[in-house]
Amino acid sequence: MSIRIKKRLGDMLVEEGKISMQQLEQALRRQRAQGKRLGELLIDEGLVAEEEIIAVLEKQLGIKRIKLDDINIDRKAIKSIPETLAVKHNLIPIGFSANKILIAMWDPLNIFAIDDIRIASGFEVQSYIATKKEIISTIERYYSDQQVQKAAEELSKEKLEDAKQNELEDDQIEFNDVKNAPVVKMVDYLIKNAVEARASDIHIEPFEKYVKIRYRIDGELQEISRLSKETLAALVTRIKILSNLNIAERRIPQDGRILTKVGEKDIDLRVSILPTVYGEKAVIRVLNRDSYLVGRENLGMIDSELNQLDNIIKNPYGIILVTGPTGSGKSTTLYSLLNDLNSGNKNIVTVEDPVEYMIDGINQVNVNIKAGMTFASGLRSILRQDPDIIMIGEIRDNETAQIAIRAAITGHLVLSTIHTNDASSSIVRLIDMGIEPYLAATSISGVIAQRLIRKVCSRCKVSYTANEYEKRLLGVNESENLILSRGNGCGHCNNTGYEGRTGVYEIMEITRDHRETIMMGSNSDVIRDLSIKKGMRTINMACKDLVLRGITTVEELVKIAYLKE
């Protein structure tokens, strides 16, 4: 039998002095008129805070308050309670203990909810208290797999039935499937869940007997679910329709774009379809426009690096290069710099592939290869627009590099990206593209190399004593007692031990000595050694500093930036 709670919330709040008897009586009258639960009404009217109600219930009833982000939730418990019931009563199952199911509830006085859970699960109920916001967020996160799986099962079932009843062509069956609710819901769930999980990419990967769905979260791929192979064709066709691609073409790669809204967020999705031996693989890049203008102070640079950056962008002309691998945050850095330079007396023009974030006051141009609008042709046109500052999405070839160099030496400030491993290699890369060393030396103002490194989860962060191997990596005397940090894994970080990322940088400010060294044709090691002598922190040094400060781990250092100095 479930425990019946006789005490009423209003009486408990009065007893604890949170509201007066007069306020309670008035609230009860409004409750009868509006049909709301008393707790909701009191919070909405600002008479008490949600945490105050929780504290009173915890004290008066002995029901423990839990923070859902700090615990590991048993997925078997999730499966034992339907999502409709969890949403209806604002609760979430979190685990089992003996013959009881453990439930986090916003309203543990709701005896009807307790009875519904007992009947649905077949277990007695042990209640805990959590905030409404925590419960709603956890429901969305943990029931997402079930939503995708359910939609996939419905789609698979419908596809088999269609195949039995109709002798249609494959394309016609797939187009019929793609209009059905299951595949529409499935794609919607995949996108919505990816945004809520802070994923940067969605991977839909076909294999011989199943389709694997993975999200890239904080730079790491995490498997979300496995679907029946029958769902693949309709799933990819739906994505193609949304991104205006040719649904009949399965032999060649295709690229497209979807603009959508998830909640209040404008989301830009870049779609890539690639034929593989087991079917078409789809990768969807999730571009959250809110993430680009973070401000220089939030990029992760230390004070000395911000000062170096200030010195570089104060130059009225020259090239500023941002370098690093794909997904290292180059676009965020460029947009932050552009935003700082965006004053009313400057004409700023960009040519990008594609424009990822629209900034008021800046003229932005999209590359369109099919129409003949390349970086080089766009840049030539921009120079006839009387610009003060030019941003080129990427220097990919000799033609673009030559025009950028000539723009810089004729009085323009040029910002761009280039793909190299570190700052000093960018100079050598330009020379390899055919740029004369004296032109590179006189035109480049500075180079910013960067990576993104995962941060230890603040909810499950623990300290430990470093072993000898870790001390050697960090360059610390092995006799010293070194304390480092790592994450144990919790519900908040999906048991990874990491939450969020921060940038690590090496900023190479070009000095007179650098110019002389470059004109002599020196290699990247010589340029790098000179930069360190002039005060540059390498990415390796920056990562070590973050490990010693407890922000990241030795494992991340080794993976992202460990090179012998």
Side-chain angles (χ1 to χ4, degrees), residues 57-106:
L57 291 172
E58 188 174 17
K59 180 180 176 183
Q60 291 265 354
L61 303 177
I63 300 175
K64 187 179 177 184
R65 157 76 159 113
I66 60 166
K67 293 190 176 181
L68 294 173
D69 283 341
D70 294 346
I71 63 170
N72 290 321
I73 293 176
D74 188 340
R75 291 186 180 271
K76 289 181 182 177
I78 297 285
K79 290 179 181 177
S80 67
I81 302 297
E83 183 185 5
T84 51
L85 205 57
V87 172
K88 177 183 175 183
H89 294 305
N90 285 312
L91 55 83
I92 185 83
I94 58 175
F96 297 98
S97 178
N99 65 334
K100 293 181 179 178
I101 187 168
L102 313 180
I103 304 289
M105 308 178 69
W106 183 66

Side-chain angles (χ1 to χ4, degrees), residues 27-312:
L28 288 170
R29 283 196 293 272
R30 289 193 295 275
Q31 182 199 15
R32 285 190 287 271
Q34 297 177 24
K36 282 185 176 181
R37 299 192 71 81
L38 180 62
E40 274 184 299
L41 189 142
L42 292 171
I43 292 167
D44 290 346
E45 295 189 354
L47 293 172
V48 290
E50 185 177 20
E51 287 291 352
E52 288 182 301
I53 292 179
I54 288 174
V56 167
L57 291 172
E58 188 174 17
K59 180 180 176 183
Q60 291 265 354
L61 303 177
I63 300 175
K64 187 179 177 184
R65 157 76 159 113
I66 60 166
K67 293 190 176 181
L68 294 173
D69 283 341
D70 294 346
I71 63 170
N72 290 321
I73 293 176
D74 188 340
R75 291 186 180 271
K76 289 181 182 177
I78 297 285
K79 290 179 181 177
S80 67
I81 302 297
E83 183 185 5
T84 51
L85 205 57
V87 172
K88 177 183 175 183
H89 294 305
N90 285 312
L91 55 83
I92 185 83
I94 58 175
F96 297 98
S97 178
N99 65 334
K100 293 181 179 178
I101 187 168
L102 313 180
I103 304 289
M105 308 178 69
W106 183 66
D107 181 9
L109 300 176
N110 187 345
I111 58 175
F112 301 108
I114 292 172
D115 277 351
D116 283 350
I117 295 300
R118 180 173 54 81
I119 292 165
S121 67
F123 290 92
E124 290 299 317
V125 176
Q126 182 172 326
S127 302
Y128 294 87
I129 313 173
T131 66
K132 194 171 187 177
K133 184 179 178 182
E134 284 178 338
I135 290 170
I136 291 170
S137 172
T138 309
I139 287 172
E140 289 177 347
R141 187 163 73 245
Y142 280 88
Y143 279 98
S144 61
D145 286 356
Q146 291 186 23
Q147 292 167 344
V148 173
Q149 289 287 355
K150 185 179 177 183
E153 287 167 10
E154 289 174 8
L155 176 62
S156 182
K157 184 179 176 183
E158 286 187 6
K159 188 168 179 66
L160 289 171
E161 287 174 358
D162 283 347
K164 288 177 183 176
Q165 293 172 9
N166 302 293
E167 293 182 357
L168 300 174
E169 294 293 326
D170 285 348
D171 288 345
Q172 191 176 347
I173 291 174
E174 281 166 26
F175 193 76
N176 288 341
D177 284 341
V178 97
K179 295 184 291 183
N180 292 335
V183 72
V184 172
K185 286 192 291 185
M186 185 159 58
V187 173
D188 288 348
Y189 286 145
L190 286 174
I191 294 169
K192 178 173 174 284
N193 297 339
V195 172
E196 288 170 353
R198 299 177 294 104
S200 60
D201 302 88
I202 306 167
H203 290 245
I204 300 166
E205 302 169 303
F207 293 96
E208 186 178 4
K209 296 179 180 177
Y210 61 87
V211 177
K212 185 188 290 184
I213 308 291
R214 295 196 290 176
Y215 291 164
R216 188 178 293 280
I217 302 171
D218 292 336
E220 294 288 311
L221 281 171
Q222 298 178 19
E223 185 172 331
I224 302 302
S225 57
R226 293 191 179 193
L227 309 179
S228 163
K229 189 67 183 288
E230 287 78 20
T231 63
L232 177 67
L235 183 58
V236 172
T237 304
R238 172 65 181 168
I239 292 168
K240 284 182 178 179
I241 289 172
L242 289 173
S243 47
N244 295 314
L245 299 178
N246 183 354
I247 64 170
E249 181 57 75
R250 303 192 194 113
R251 298 164 300 172
I252 60 173
Q254 296 188 69
D255 295 317
R257 181 182 186 187
I258 305 169
L259 294 174
T260 187
K261 208 173 181 74
V262 176
E264 297 300 313
K265 296 177 181 177
D266 290 319
I267 304 297
D268 195 347
L269 305 171
R270 303 300 159 89
V271 177
S272 173
I273 307 292
L274 179 71
T276 73
V277 291
Y278 292 119
E280 290 180 291
K281 176 187 176 184
V283 174
I284 303 173
R285 185 88 186 269
V286 183
L287 300 175
N288 184 349
R289 296 181 180 181
D290 296 338
S291 67
Y292 284 108
L293 292 186
V294 297
R296 271 194 295 162
E297 66 281 358
N298 296 317
L299 289 173
M301 295 181 186
I302 61 173
D303 289 344
S304 62
E305 289 171 336
L306 287 170
N307 290 334
Q308 285 178 302
L309 189 57
D310 281 336
N311 291 336
I312 292 171

Side-chain angles (χ1 to χ4, degrees), residues 17 46 54 98 101 106 121 128 242 256 356 379 420 448 513 517 534:
I54 288 174
I101 187 168
W106 183 66
S121 67
Y128 294 87
L242 289 173
E356 295 180 4
L379 188 49
T420 57
I448 305 161
D513 289 340
T517 303
K534 294 285 185 180

Side-chain angles (χ1 to χ4, degrees), residues 274-525:
L274 179 71
T276 73
V277 291
Y278 292 119
E280 290 180 291
K281 176 187 176 184
V283 174
I284 303 173
R285 185 88 186 269
V286 183
L287 300 175
N288 184 349
R289 296 181 180 181
D290 296 338
S291 67
Y292 284 108
L293 292 186
V294 297
R296 271 194 295 162
E297 66 281 358
N298 296 317
L299 289 173
M301 295 181 186
I302 61 173
D303 289 344
S304 62
E305 289 171 336
L306 287 170
N307 290 334
Q308 285 178 302
L309 189 57
D310 281 336
N311 291 336
I312 292 171
I313 64 174
K314 279 176 184 173
N315 286 299
Y317 55 85
I319 295 181
I320 301 171
L321 291 174
V322 182
T323 185
T326 302
S328 61
K330 297 189 297 295
S331 295
T332 301
T333 300
L334 275 179
Y335 280 124
S336 297
L337 294 178
L338 278 179
N339 201 45
D340 285 345
L341 294 165
N342 185 18
S343 59
N345 61 350
K346 299 287 185 186
N347 177 20
I348 304 176
V349 189
T350 75
V351 54
E352 306 170 59
D353 183 20
V355 173
E356 295 180 4
Y357 184 90
M358 273 70 85
I359 304 176
D360 187 47
I362 294 179
N363 307 284
Q364 294 170 273
V365 178
N366 254 322
V367 165
N368 188 334
I369 303 295
K370 290 179 182 176
M373 171 66 87
T374 62
F375 281 121
S377 62
L379 188 49
R380 276 194 296 268
S381 299
I382 284 172
L383 290 171
R384 292 191 287 271
Q385 291 279 316
D386 184 33
D388 296 296
I389 299 169
I390 300 167
M391 195 271 268
I392 311 163
E394 184 185 343
I395 294 177
R396 295 176 178 170
D397 52 46
N398 172 266
E399 188 180 9
T400 308
Q402 291 280 4
I403 300 169
I405 293 284
R406 299 199 184 282
I409 62 178
T410 53
H412 302 90
L413 182 61
V414 180
L415 284 74
S416 189
T417 68
I418 192 166
H419 284 285
T420 57
N421 288 325
D422 58 17
S424 57
S425 298
S426 300
I427 310 294
V428 178
R429 175 80 182 105
L430 282 175
I431 294 169
D432 285 344
M433 283 183 180
I435 301 299
E436 292 293 336
Y438 77 92
L439 286 175
T442 54
S443 63
I444 296 172
S445 301
V447 184
I448 305 161
Q450 66 182 82
R451 300 286 189 280
L452 289 176
I453 195 164
R454 291 190 295 172
K455 296 190 293 185
V456 176
C457 175
S458 58
R459 308 293 182 98
C460 59
K461 185 176 184 177
V462 295
S463 299
Y464 71 99
T465 303
N467 59 35
E468 290 181 4
Y469 169 70
E470 290 169 327
K471 289 176 186 176
R472 281 200 305 274
L473 282 181
L474 295 167
V476 175
N477 192 313
E478 291 182 20
S479 62
E480 287 187 32
N481 186 34
L482 179 63
I483 304 298
L484 301 177
S485 298
R486 63 184 168 214
N488 270 342
C490 64
H492 186 71
C493 62
N494 200 24
N495 292 316
T496 61
Y498 298 95
E499 183 203 8
R501 291 188 290 176
T502 189
V504 285
Y505 304 88
E506 58 182 44
I507 300 177
M508 187 172 75
E509 189 178 350
I510 303 298
T511 64
R512 180 181 294 178
D513 289 340
H514 279 92
R515 291 191 172 95
E516 290 175 0
T517 303
I518 293 166
M519 284 193 280
M520 288 167 56
S522 300
N523 63 33
S524 61
D525 287 338

